Amino acid sequence: MVVVNTGAGKGKSSSALGMVFRAAGWGMKVCVIQFIKGQWQTGEQRAATRFDNIEWHALGDGFTWDTKNPEQDIKTSREIWELSKQKILSEEFDVVLLDEINYCCGYNWISGEEIAEFITNEKPSWMHLILTGRNAAQEVIAVADTVTEMTKIKHAFEKGIKAEQGIEF
């Protein structure tokens, strides 16, 4: 299956990580590749170290909507996309999560057409692929099996509540 979690609401990565841990619990080999998060330590990354069947790559240059160097963000995103393709084509994994890749499409750093073409023509048919982030490309949505759009009704940040350990990260 190809699953896309997109939209402005909270829960895209959280939902995908639930699938990651579910798959790992069933003994499936899982690869998590994070495009934006960078080296920010998260509870789910810490939890993943308890599983020998989850490979984790927290990459990226951080929260790129505050970028001061878009050329570097493009270069980094392209490098992470190349790693993602290698991991998928290695056929070592049952499930691959490309966390926040949709942002890269929204910023036109990686085209939706390129991702959709890769999914259609090169992804092993038996492998499950999960893509998260706002602004999923229409081409990616078209080739996905399941697409969920998270809708924000309200968010604690709007009331000045900062990210909470164990809830947000």
Side-chain angles (χ1 to χ4, degrees):
M1 287 184 59
V2 176
V3 177
V4 174
N5 292 343
T6 193
K10 179 173 170 23
K12 296 173 288 293
S13 294
S14 297
S15 173
L17 290 162
M19 288 183 265
V20 160
F21 286 105
R22 179 180 295 142
W26 283 107
M28 299 170 87
K29 183 90 167 120
V30 180
C31 182
V32 174
I33 301 174
Q34 295 183 301
F35 276 73
I36 303 292
K37 299 282 190 333
Q39 298 307 308
W40 187 20
Q41 193 64 219
T42 63
E44 53 269 22
Q45 185 177 2
R46 291 173 55 128
T49 64
R50 299 176 184 185
F51 289 80
D52 61 2
N53 55 334
I54 299 177
E55 183 176 308
W56 198 285
H57 301 272
L59 306 169
D61 297 320
F63 292 100
T64 56
W65 47 87
D66 292 331
T67 189
K68 305 295 185 251
N69 189 348
E71 294 79 19
Q72 179 61 44
D73 292 334
I74 293 167
K75 179 180 181 292
T76 300
S77 295
R78 297 295 315 173
E79 289 170 355
I80 299 169
W81 173 234
E82 291 304 315
L83 172 69
S84 300
K85 292 189 295 186
Q86 289 172 15
K87 293 296 182 180
I88 292 166
L89 293 174
S90 75
E91 299 191 6
E92 292 178 42
F93 303 98
D94 302 298
V95 177
V96 176
L97 167 57
L98 303 180
D99 189 36
E100 311 289 11
I101 190 173
N102 295 337
Y103 280 104
C104 299
C105 290
Y107 289 123
N108 296 314
W109 297 341
I110 305 170
S111 77
E113 181 179 354
E114 179 181 358
I115 295 169
E117 183 177 307
F118 179 81
I119 291 170
T120 301
N121 298 322
E122 298 188 55
K123 179 191 83 61
S125 61
W126 49 266
M127 180 184 290
H128 303 294
L129 181 62
I130 309 164
L131 303 94
T132 70
R134 295 180 185 203
N135 304 315
Q138 288 304 310
E139 298 91 343
V140 174
I141 290 171
V143 300
D145 299 299
T146 299
V147 179
T148 300
E149 182 174 4
M150 309 293 187
T151 303
K152 182 181 84 160
I153 295 173
K154 68 181 187 175
H155 195 289
F157 184 77
E158 296 165 343
K159 296 187 330 189
I161 300 171
K162 303 251 190 234
E164 292 286 326
Q165 184 176 349
I167 300 298
E168 299 279 339
F169 63 94

